[in-house]
Structure formats: structure tokens, C-alpha cells
Amino acid sequence: MSARPVLAAPELSKAAQQIRNEAHITGAARFTAPDFKPGLVRHMVMFRFNPHTTQAERNEVTKRFIALRHLSHRSDGSAPVLSIETGPQISGENADIGLEQAYLVTFRSEGDRNFYVGRPIVTDPRYFDPAHDAFKAFAAPYLEKVVVFDFPVEASGQH
């Protein structure tokens, strides 16, 4: 009798591996603290909707995403999200890989971003945003593809 092959977990990117290792080593409380790695962080999120998603459903997804600016909060009432901007894809460069709507979320620190993102990196509900978690569950059936890219903001024009 031959052994069944073990199914490998999806391969993590280098950045995902680093962040998950850092979360594990640091611990959820510190990793999600507002003062953990201070400095502006941008969280770019881009969606391709399922073909069957109606315009009304698309509008509702965007309305609920933007509402996270005011709905996201820590147990002490403080807001991890500094701002949320959104807009449809309008580039003519033909490099959009079918993505249709973008969101740019800004945080004051990596800790605020980590709290907001939550699962799958932070799994203890004391240390992640329940509003964002609920949004992800709501939006998932309407989405075909999601791309996320985070980066620390570096000052431009300085040498």
C-alpha cells in the first residue's frame, strides 16, 4: 500500500513569509499595537468582480469598503485607518490584468495595518479588526480576484 502524497500549503511570497514569522516571534499584542513600526503604510487592494456581480452589488461592496474608515476600531475606540480612497480602473496601458476597482488604505504604523488586516496573519480576535473581518466575508462571493500590495511611504523628492 502506498502512502498518499501530502498536499503542500499554497506557497507564500517572501514578504508573506517574513510578516508571518515576525508576527509569530513578536506576538499578536505587540505586532498589532498602534506604535509597532510607526510611519505611514499604504495598503493597496484591487478587485476583479465575478462576471455575475451586478453593478448594484459592486456599488455595495465599495460602499462597505469605504465605510471601514469609520467602522474599524480597536477595543479602546481608536481608529487604525487614517484614510481610504477608491476608484475604478481607467488606465489605457492594458496592464491591469482585468482588475476593476482599487482601494488605497493608509495607516499610521505597521501595527495599525496588522490589526486591520487580521486573518490569516493574526488569528486571535482580540488583536484584529472585526469590521474588516466581516467585510471580507461579505465581499468574497462577489470577487473573482483580489490583489493586495502594502508598502511603507517614503518621502519623494529628497536625496
Side-chain angles (χ1 to χ4, degrees), residues 154-159:
E154 296 180 11
S156 63
Q158 297 178 351
H159 299 283

Side-chain angles (χ1 to χ4, degrees), residues 96-111:
D96 55 55
I97 61 172
L99 297 166
E100 302 170 273
Q101 187 76 26
Y103 306 86
L104 185 60
V105 186
T106 302
F107 303 97
R108 292 177 192 87
S109 68
E110 286 190 34

Side-chain angles (χ1 to χ4, degrees), residues 43 62-72 81-87 102-107 116 132:
H43 176 73
T62 293
K63 177 181 143 192
R64 290 186 187 205
F65 196 119
I66 292 170
L68 290 171
R69 167 64 183 94
H70 301 289
L71 296 175
S72 295
V81 176
L82 186 60
S83 66
I84 297 179
E85 301 167 77
T86 188
Y103 306 86
L104 185 60
V105 186
T106 302
F107 303 97
Y116 173 83
H132 183 237

Side-chain angles (χ1 to χ4, degrees), residues 4-16:
R4 286 185 163 192
V6 176
L7 297 177
E11 189 172 326
L12 294 176
S13 70
K14 184 178 177 182

